[in-house]
Amino acid sequence: MKFAIIGGTGVTDSSFFENQQSMNVDTPFGSVEVMKADRGDNEVFFLERHTKGHKLTPSQVNYKGNIYALKKLGIDFVVATTAVGGVQNCRVGDFVILDQFIDFTKNRELTYFGEKGSGVVHMDMTEPYCSTLRRALAESMERCGARYVDKGTYVCTEGPRFETPAEINMFKILGGDVVGMTNVPEVVLAREMGLHYATISLVTNYAAGISETALSHKEVLECMDEMAGALRSVLLDLIDSMKPEIICSCSNSLAELNMI
Ligand code: HPA
């Protein structure tokens, strides 16, 4: 099988996979660099969301190019990672397997179907994240003894600034569990492409106003570093144990629109 890992902030090291080689995938949205590697009989493609050296802000990330590249590579399962602030129902150091999101972005291209002449597409988002992959991830978390929460609502902000305590209070009232800056439109584009896509959020800090101290990117990176070993174990376990049994309908999203 072919797996892709989208590495977010602080998840940049793919050296634990064998036979790594860098490659560029051409897309209508520009060239996308990925590291291709092996894990047993599986192929793993590692993509740094913010590019090497974290050069792009959340608003500048090439979401359309990244997801298009994974589709072109024929990836079976995509696991994305995101650093998040904890709002409720989680603790710093937890992994959260997202099941819902709320979109508070303001300046992003949210669909492949907006171009003139491409038609209007209203994609169903009842179950935004792949249930096949979410279940497999929860099983891997159990086997690895990782501290995790099996569902959570992600609030996506535009960034790059952190939130105000008033905003976090509003997100909490609305039912948000974690807050980050990059999961939208990635999750939406993945569904538009019919990919099996799930996200593990890593709670690196309590969100603004809940945290007793001011937030910093340094704190986020330090916590990501501490969680890196556990994340690696979970990802390797998932790849080694993933069965091709599908319980979701992610790959039918385009068929229903007669696009494939
Ligand atoms: N807010 C937004 N994005 C984040 C945070 C946060 O508190 N922590 C890590 N990424």
Side-chain angles (χ1 to χ4, degrees):
M1 282 187 276
K2 286 189 185 182
F3 291 84
I5 296 163
I6 303 182
T9 299
V11 182
T12 54
D13 178 16
S14 56
S15 60
F16 53 98
F17 292 113
E18 304 139 30
N19 305 328
Q20 287 199 81
Q21 60 188 87
S22 167
M23 59 187 280
N24 285 295
V25 184
D26 287 329
T27 80
F29 311 98
S31 176
V32 174
E33 187 178 0
V34 293
M35 292 295 284
K36 179 178 179 302
D38 296 326
R39 173 73 182 175
D41 292 337
N42 297 305
E43 284 179 320
V44 185
F45 294 84
F46 188 85
L47 191 163
E48 283 190 53
R49 183 184 289 118
H50 298 267
T51 67
K52 276 217 166 72
H54 200 108
K55 289 194 276 284
L56 303 178
T57 67
S59 311
Q60 292 166 340
V61 166
N62 185 5
Y63 297 101
K64 282 186 166 180
N66 291 350
I67 294 297
Y68 193 99
L70 300 185
K71 180 71 179 176
K72 191 171 171 187
L73 287 167
I75 302 293
D76 295 297
F77 295 105
V78 184
V79 179
T81 68
T82 57
V84 291
V87 177
Q88 59 186 341
N89 302 318
C90 60
R91 289 175 298 163
V92 168
D94 284 349
F95 295 109
V96 182
I97 304 173
L98 301 180
D99 71 328
Q100 287 291 320
F101 70 83
I102 300 175
D103 180 10
F104 270 94
T105 66
K106 343 179 180 184
N107 188 23
R108 301 185 188 184
E109 287 188 37
L110 299 171
T111 175
Y112 286 110
F113 297 108
E115 307 302 322
K116 262 206 182 112
S118 69
V120 180
V121 169
H122 300 291
M123 187 60 62
D124 174 59
M125 281 288 129
T126 305
E127 199 170 54
Y129 302 89
C130 170
S131 49
T132 306
L133 204 41
R134 289 187 58 240
R135 187 166 79 174
L137 276 170
E139 287 168 3
S140 291
M141 298 268 180
E142 290 284 342
R143 277 193 294 271
C144 295
R147 238 180 58 203
Y148 78 103
V149 185
D150 66 357
K151 62 179 179 156
T153 297
Y154 180 105
V155 178
C156 195
T157 67
E158 188 62 45
R161 66 167 174 84
F162 288 115
E163 302 71 35
T164 63
E167 287 169 328
I168 294 299
N169 197 31
M170 171 180 72
F171 296 155
K172 189 171 176 183
I173 292 166
L174 293 179
D177 295 311
V178 296
V179 60
M181 305 176 193
T182 55
N183 204 233
V184 180
E186 196 173 270
V187 54
V188 180
L189 298 171
R191 176 56 54 79
E192 287 188 350
M193 283 288 174
L195 291 168
H196 297 289
Y197 171 100
T199 302
I200 309 176
S201 284
L202 288 77
V203 185
T204 56
N205 56 280
Y206 290 108
I210 300 172
S211 170
E212 281 161 14
T213 53
L215 308 192
S216 75
H217 190 59
K218 184 165 165 278
E219 170 191 21
V220 170
L221 289 178
E222 279 168 5
C223 187
M224 289 300 269
D225 255 8
E226 281 168 29
M227 296 177 77
L231 177 66
R232 186 179 326 181
S233 309
V234 168
L235 292 174
L236 292 177
D237 183 89
L238 177 87
I239 293 166
D240 293 345
S241 61
M242 190 77 200
K243 296 178 203 68
E245 265 166 49
I246 301 294
I247 58 162
C248 58
S249 54
C250 305
S251 57
N252 295 335
S253 64
L254 296 177
E256 279 166 21
L257 300 165
N258 298 319
M259 312 272 315
I260 52 171

